Amino acid sequence: DENSCLGLDPAQVRIFQQGIMPAVDAESGRLILSAKDSLAMGPDGHGGTLAALDRTGALDAMLAEGVEHLFYFQVDNPLITLCDPVFIGHHILSKSEMTTQVIRKRYPTEKVGNVVQVDGRTRIIEYSDLPDEAAEMTLDDGSLKLWAGNIAVHLFELDFLKRAKSQASALPFHRAHKKVPFVDDRGHTVHPDAPNATKFERFIFDLLPSADRTLIYEVEPADAFAPVKNANGAATDTPELAQKAMVTQHQRLIRQSGGDIKDGVTVEINPRFAMDSTELAHRLGENLTVETDRYFAG
């Protein structure tokens, strides 16, 4: 159909599936059944990307095609600037093997990874692994000591990924305490009200200490981070708040391009129409005035 591959040449699109791992009962450590004849399985985390790229031949295909760098992001953040040329430029000029974007955390226990230095190596401590008292540590000026929050946007050298795939310790498994439906001894399906199982996940950012050269690249949250993690009605990270952040960002793009937009007007810009204010000014002209709700489509 008309949305197939979102306008890309199908030859440029490769879809692959990450691995899975069994869940175990949190108390006994025994495997859990999702049905009488099936184990309860779950994705092996975004760290499984590297193994999946290797297993499916995608990594070798990229290397054979002369690809040198891989841009990585997670789909639950609509403010990401895809393949940001400034981000890529810093990565290449610094000869970084792995570059990661960070924001200045909005509050100490925000659910983002914490970028730190340990024994001269850059690494990320996931929020779930960091005690609150560590997250709340401050400097003399009152600012957070652990201020740099990972937003899951990375750039990798392909040669680094080729090297890292053979390092068994590069991507260790982490334990996640989750609610997992299961079949009990009588064959009945149980939907637990509280976390009852341990899942095993890898995190792609655990590759950082394996890189010989790394770069941490700070971005403004208003320009780059509006995650969707909670249902509407929650205090943070909801679809409604993400959409509001997108509209605010696109209003700002119009003004940066030399246009004018009336207060309270809702506007969205399809990235296939324009990716930044320079491209928007070229497409629309600098005298653009938006007085009613608009959607600029590619």
Side-chain angles (χ1 to χ4, degrees):
D1 60 52
E2 64 179 358
N3 292 318
S4 178
C5 298
L6 300 177
L8 295 172
D9 180 347
Q12 294 181 302
V13 179
R14 180 186 289 264
I15 298 173
F16 59 94
Q17 185 173 336
Q18 71 185 105
I20 55 176
M21 287 290 291
V24 300
D25 181 79
E27 292 187 3
S28 68
R30 297 174 61 185
L31 293 170
I32 295 173
L33 292 178
S34 61
K36 292 181 180 181
D37 58 353
S38 302
L39 291 175
M41 308 290 287
D44 61 355
H46 46 72
T49 299
L50 180 54
L53 284 171
D54 186 35
R55 183 180 64 252
T56 60
L59 185 58
D60 286 338
M62 286 188 286
L63 290 165
E65 292 167 4
V67 176
E68 297 180 3
H69 307 277
L70 178 67
F71 181 89
Y72 171 100
F73 72 99
Q74 289 179 198
V75 73
D76 64 351
N77 178 10
L79 290 196
I80 289 170
T81 301
L82 292 176
C83 298
D84 179 0
V86 179
F87 181 48
I88 294 172
H90 281 289
H91 168 79
I92 292 173
L93 289 173
S94 66
K95 294 181 169 53
S96 172
E97 290 188 326
M98 179 174 175
T99 300
T100 186
Q101 285 189 11
V102 301
I103 58 163
R104 193 165 293 272
K105 292 197 303 184
R106 294 172 291 183
Y107 49 92
T109 56
E110 185 169 5
K111 292 184 177 182
V112 291
N114 296 268
V115 183
V116 299
Q117 286 276 325
V118 178
D119 297 330
R121 290 281 181 174
T122 305
R123 65 175 60 244
I124 293 175
I125 303 174
E126 182 69 332
Y127 66 88
S128 56
D129 295 330
L130 187 71
D132 287 352
E133 55 268 27
E136 293 167 356
M137 291 188 301
T138 58
L139 300 174
D140 291 341
D141 62 3
S143 62
L144 287 177
K145 185 174 184 179
L146 302 181
W147 63 268
N150 163 53
I151 62 172
V153 180
H154 312 292
L155 268 167
F156 300 98
E157 272 193 0
L158 260 293
D159 285 341
F160 165 60
L161 293 182
K162 182 180 179 180
R163 186 178 81 235
K165 73 176 185 177
S166 61
Q167 299 175 358
S169 61
L171 288 165
F173 279 104
H174 297 256
R175 293 179 296 177
H177 203 37
K178 302 284 187 177
K179 291 191 290 186
V180 176
F182 63 94
V183 171
D184 64 17
D185 294 338
R186 294 176 295 174
H188 298 153
T189 300
V190 178
H191 295 274
D193 296 326
N196 64 306
T198 299
K199 288 187 172 183
F200 301 95
E201 301 174 343
R202 289 185 169 115
F203 299 148
I204 194 69
F205 56 65
D206 279 333
L207 288 174
L208 272 167
S210 300
D212 292 334
R213 298 175 303 280
T214 60
L215 178 67
I216 304 304
Y217 180 92
E218 185 182 358
V219 292
E220 288 289 338
D223 292 327
F225 192 52
V228 179
K229 296 181 180 295
N230 303 314
N232 286 332
T236 60
D237 303 339
T238 65
E240 285 182 350
L241 292 174
Q243 184 183 35
K244 182 178 179 181
M246 287 175 60
V247 169
T248 301
Q249 182 191 55
H250 294 176
Q251 290 170 338
R252 188 163 58 251
L253 283 176
I254 289 173
R255 294 187 176 105
Q256 289 172 348
S257 71
D260 180 50
I261 182 168
K262 302 299 183 182
D263 292 339
V265 169
T266 297
V267 61
E268 291 189 23
I269 303 168
N270 188 317
R272 292 171 61 185
F273 185 82
M275 289 287 288
D276 55 33
S277 58
T278 300
E279 188 175 11
L280 185 62
H282 176 73
R283 292 291 298 268
L284 297 177
E286 296 185 0
N287 295 320
L288 171 71
T289 298
V290 181
E291 298 183 346
T292 60
D293 294 351
R294 286 288 304 275
Y295 177 69
F296 296 99

